[in-house]
């Protein structure tokens, strides 16, 4: 419990959200969910992470990493079992394996993960644009969502600024042992920024963004949350995803559900249905996919399972 207190705090916040909304009403909303729509969420989630793996494989190929498409997809699924641990998607770094004798450079692989995630979040942010055009006061949350991403891109793409910041960060005790990876991260990231890489990755990520919004939308429809348009669902999902990513909570546990519930309630959806839709999305997108990831690890390589459950295994960053 001491090792995972942050995740446990997130669970407490989810419970607090349910209590604040009304546990009885949330349970009734979940109990009355449309079974057919619940079943539809499963293949949508599987296709979503299949495409996430394809997008990452394109970035890996651009980095000349000896990692094939099947392994990129496999590791993407396996890493979902670690979504609530510090490090997030960077857990792909220690579990990916080179298909050649030479092991992949951790800093270069980390750069591909950071690049993949940043491009996806940037693409997802534009799901907010249709609603913003109709309500100019929503330009503020759009700016809040975009500015941190632009700041990170600027730091990574500006060599002198990156070097200026990387040195002090590498001297911080918790990051000191990752100094070699930090030194490689910036240059490796800059090598990935090319039209040849960006065009296919943005294309696949646009499909992923659409599937993510659809997954959340189907969850809302399953609990009969009515009164919102597709554009409003997309705005709520994208805004919650991007803004909650600024929190320190692994997987934004607790913060994410609260933002989606509050935003949907402000748009006229019954709070219990809004909370139930957010919980269904979390259950399928994270819990279901984590179980799939562990299953793939069991089938493919038992050593992966040891890495997943070992309490001594450090976060990659």
């Amino acid at each position: 419990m001491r090792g995972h207190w942050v995740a446990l705090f997130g669970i407490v916040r989810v419970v607090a959200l349910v209590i604040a909304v009304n546990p009885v009403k949330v349970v009734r909303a979940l109990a009355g969910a449309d079974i057919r729509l619940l079943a539809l969420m499963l293949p949508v989630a599987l296709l979503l992470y299949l495409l996430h793996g394809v997008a990452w494989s394109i970035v890996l190929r651009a980095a000349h990493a000896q990692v094939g498409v099947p392994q990129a997809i496999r590791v993407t699924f396996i890493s979902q079992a670690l979504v609530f641990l510090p490090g997030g998607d960077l857990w792909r770094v220690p579990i990916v394996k080179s298909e050649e004798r030479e092991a992949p450079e951790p800093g270069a692989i980390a750069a591909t993960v950071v690049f993949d995630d940043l491009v996806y979040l940037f693409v997802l942010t534009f799901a907010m644009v249709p609603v913003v055009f109709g309500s100019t006061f929503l330009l503020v949350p759009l700016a809040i969502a975009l500015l941190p991403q632009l700041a990170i891109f600027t730091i990574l793409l500006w060599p002198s600024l990156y070097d200026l910041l990387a040195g002090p960060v590498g001297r911080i005790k918790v990051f000191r042992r990752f100094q070699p990876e930090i030194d490689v991260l910036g240059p490796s990231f800059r090598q990935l920024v090319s039209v040849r890489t960006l065009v296919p990755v943005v294309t696949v990520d646009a499909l992923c963004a659409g599937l993510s919004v659809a997954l959340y939308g189907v969850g809302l429809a399953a609990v009969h949350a009515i009164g919102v348009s597709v554009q409003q669902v997309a705005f709520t999902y994208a805004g919650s995803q991007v803004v909650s990513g600024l929190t320190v909570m692994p997987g934004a546990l607790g913060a994410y559900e609260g933002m989606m519930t509050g935003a949907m309630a402000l748009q006229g959806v019954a709070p219990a249905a809004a909370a139930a839709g957010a919980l269904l999305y979390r259950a399928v997108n994270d819990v279901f996919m984590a179980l799939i990831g562990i299953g793939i690890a069991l089938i493919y390589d038992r050593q992966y399972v040891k890495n997943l459950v070992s309490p001594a295994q450090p976060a990659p960053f």
Side-chain angles (χ1 to χ4, degrees):
M1 290 180 68
R2 286 196 302 268
H4 301 292
W5 69 269
V6 177
L8 291 173
F9 179 59
I11 294 173
V12 170
R13 296 207 302 187
V14 172
V15 173
L17 170 66
V18 174
I19 293 173
V21 170
N22 189 318
V24 174
K25 290 183 178 180
V26 173
V27 170
R28 285 177 180 170
L30 291 171
D34 188 318
I35 299 299
R36 293 170 297 178
L37 292 177
L38 292 179
L40 178 61
M41 294 179 74
L42 305 183
V44 172
L46 291 171
L47 180 58
L48 169 61
Y49 283 94
L50 174 67
L51 290 179
H52 272 311
V54 171
W56 186 41
S57 73
I58 296 170
V59 183
L60 287 165
R61 184 179 61 189
H64 307 292
Q66 300 300 321
V67 179
V69 177
Q71 187 189 169
I73 294 172
R74 189 164 56 239
V75 171
T76 298
F77 275 83
I78 292 172
S79 66
Q80 285 306 110
L82 303 164
V83 69
F84 295 121
L85 295 182
D89 280 346
L90 285 170
W91 278 98
R92 297 186 218 171
V93 178
I95 62 177
V96 72
K97 295 181 177 181
S98 175
E99 295 177 351
E100 301 291 336
R101 291 184 179 181
E102 186 176 351
E105 166 59 47
I109 299 299
T112 67
V113 175
V114 172
F115 181 90
D116 184 37
D117 283 353
L118 281 177
V119 172
Y120 173 69
L121 280 177
F122 193 73
V123 170
L124 181 62
T125 301
F126 284 90
M128 301 169 67
V129 170
V131 173
V132 171
F133 279 148
S135 304
T136 53
F137 74 93
L138 293 175
L139 284 171
V140 174
L142 180 61
I144 292 173
L146 277 174
L147 286 177
Q149 298 175 50
L150 294 174
I152 295 171
F153 271 117
T154 300
I155 292 170
L156 289 168
L157 294 175
W158 191 344
S160 58
L161 180 59
Y162 183 83
D163 293 340
L164 179 67
L165 297 175
V169 169
R171 288 191 290 272
I172 298 174
K173 185 176 180 180
V174 68
F175 296 117
R176 195 171 298 158
R177 61 196 177 100
F178 301 116
Q179 183 65 61
E181 287 81 7
I182 292 172
D183 291 340
V184 174
L185 177 63
S188 298
F189 184 93
R190 289 191 288 274
Q191 291 177 358
L192 296 171
V193 181
S194 67
V195 174
R196 187 175 181 179
T197 303
L198 281 171
V199 170
V201 172
V202 167
T203 300
V204 178
D205 279 346
L207 295 173
C208 290
L211 285 170
S212 295
V213 172
L215 183 63
Y216 176 50
V218 172
L220 287 171
V223 293
H224 313 291
I226 57 175
V228 287
S229 65
V230 173
Q231 290 84 358
Q232 289 172 307
V233 171
F235 177 88
T236 300
Y237 174 82
S240 301
Q241 176 82 8
V242 175
V243 175
S244 65
L246 302 177
T247 69
V248 297
M249 298 295 297
L253 188 60
Y256 194 28
E257 295 83 358
M259 289 181 187
M260 289 198 290
T261 301
M264 282 287 103
L266 287 173
Q267 296 175 87
V269 175
L279 292 173
L280 278 178
Y281 172 83
R282 178 70 85 175
V284 174
N285 187 71
D286 294 321
V287 178
F288 171 71
M289 292 308 302
L291 294 174
I292 294 295
I294 292 174
I296 292 173
L298 281 166
I299 294 170
Y300 178 70
D301 190 340
R302 292 183 180 276
Q303 185 59 42
Y304 281 175
V305 180
K306 294 179 182 178
N307 291 338
L308 299 185
V309 301
S310 172
Q313 178 72 24
F317 270 80

